[in-house]
Amino acid sequence: SLQFALFGNLRNWAETVLYWNLALDDTGGPFISPVTQDLSNILRGLAEIDTLSGTFTFQVEYYALAHFSRFIASGPRRIETEVKYRAQSINNDALFAADSADIEALAVKNPDKSLVLVVFNPKYYSLPFDIVWRNKHMKYRLKPESVATFVWRE
């Protein structure tokens, strides 16, 4: 899933995210050996090939990977993000506060010294949050099922 592959791995010190399946057909294949169950809703590639029409469609994972790659440079340093309720105190060197633990956040400092915060709301309703960095605050409301990226320099 998007949450696990990108946010989960990168928040837990992975240096690379790799999607093994570049393109799959509309049955989730091709397969090396016979498959006894329908895997089309489990296996996903970055693109899906429609075997009847010969067309392909980029999947959400393709766009998510492209989004991360656009803003997070090679060799970044991960910055701690804390998902806490606003009523709690926030460490001034941490980057994030939210009303809900449902929001995923990943922050890095790129080699060019830019700071990047990528935030994901998997819910069907909007969620408010604050960006907190070195005693500066910004409020934002993230639309349902969306990603937002913030970039700034210290």
Side-chain angles (χ1 to χ4, degrees):
S1 80
L2 173 67
Q3 267 178 292
F4 178 76
L6 291 172
F7 287 95
N9 287 328
L10 294 173
R11 285 196 66 184
N12 287 289
W13 310 105
E15 292 184 9
T16 302
V17 172
L18 173 71
Y19 278 91
W20 185 257
N21 295 316
L22 180 61
L24 297 177
D25 66 20
D26 42 13
T27 66
F31 302 102
I32 295 172
S33 60
V35 177
T36 59
Q37 64 181 7
D38 179 17
L39 299 176
S40 61
N41 64 345
I42 299 171
L43 300 174
R44 290 176 60 111
L46 296 177
E48 180 181 298
I49 301 169
D50 183 324
T51 54
L52 294 176
S53 68
T55 60
F56 69 92
T57 304
F58 288 121
Q59 301 295 330
V60 68
E61 291 84 358
Y62 170 86
Y63 294 104
L65 195 57
H67 186 92
F68 272 68
S69 299
R70 179 175 180 203
F71 295 102
I72 299 175
S74 181
R77 191 187 84 211
R78 193 176 77 75
I79 299 171
E80 178 186 6
T81 54
E82 295 180 35
V83 178
K84 291 186 173 182
Y85 293 104
R86 288 189 181 136
Q88 296 176 324
S89 64
I90 299 295
N91 174 350
N92 282 327
D93 288 329
L95 194 58
F96 184 72
D99 279 338
S100 171
D102 293 323
I103 291 180
E104 292 281 351
L106 173 72
V108 300
K109 187 174 198 175
N110 281 325
D112 70 357
K113 308 293 187 222
S114 63
L115 296 164
V116 177
L117 173 66
V118 183
V119 185
F120 172 55
N121 177 6
K123 296 299 182 182
Y124 297 107
Y125 48 87
S126 65
L127 291 170
F129 66 90
D130 294 324
I131 298 173
V132 180
W133 179 253
R134 309 260 162 114
N135 292 318
K136 294 179 182 172
H137 297 75
M138 183 184 107
K139 294 184 181 300
Y140 193 84
R141 178 171 289 275
L142 193 56
K143 293 180 179 181
E145 298 180 302
S146 65
V147 174
T149 300
F150 304 88
V151 181
W152 70 97
R153 296 191 182 279
E154 289 189 87

